[in-house]
Amino acid sequence: MSNSSKLPFGKANYTLMLLGIIVILAGFFIMSLDKEEFGFGFLGLTLGPLVVLAGFTIEFFAILKKS
């Protein structure tokens, strides 16, 4: 019965998930800062998507990390 009330991830997993969400949101914010037309500058096409990809990578490792 006590197994059903146990959380599926540990504290480190949830911390990494929160960090990943923050990094993803920061990437979208960076993309919104681009002043070029239609976001075709460095921030919108290179830096922002790389930061978002890093956030999703953090999320991937947060799910797979053993607690």
Side-chain angles (χ1 to χ4, degrees):
M1 193 77 160
S2 65
N3 267 350
S4 64
S5 65
K6 188 176 176 186
L7 294 174
F9 297 114
K11 183 179 180 187
N13 297 90
Y14 288 116
T15 304
L16 280 173
M17 285 181 196
L18 183 63
L19 177 67
I21 290 171
I22 291 170
V23 171
I24 290 169
L25 291 176
F28 282 113
F29 180 72
I30 289 170
M31 283 190 271
S32 74
L33 293 176
D34 198 355
K35 299 298 182 202
E36 294 291 323
E37 188 175 4
F38 302 115
F40 285 153
F42 173 74
L43 294 176
L45 286 178
T46 306
L47 185 63
L50 285 176
V51 172
V52 171
L53 183 65
F56 280 115
T57 304
I58 292 170
E59 291 290 334
F60 177 74
F61 284 112
I63 292 171
L64 292 182
K65 183 178 177 355
K66 297 271 187 191
S67 51

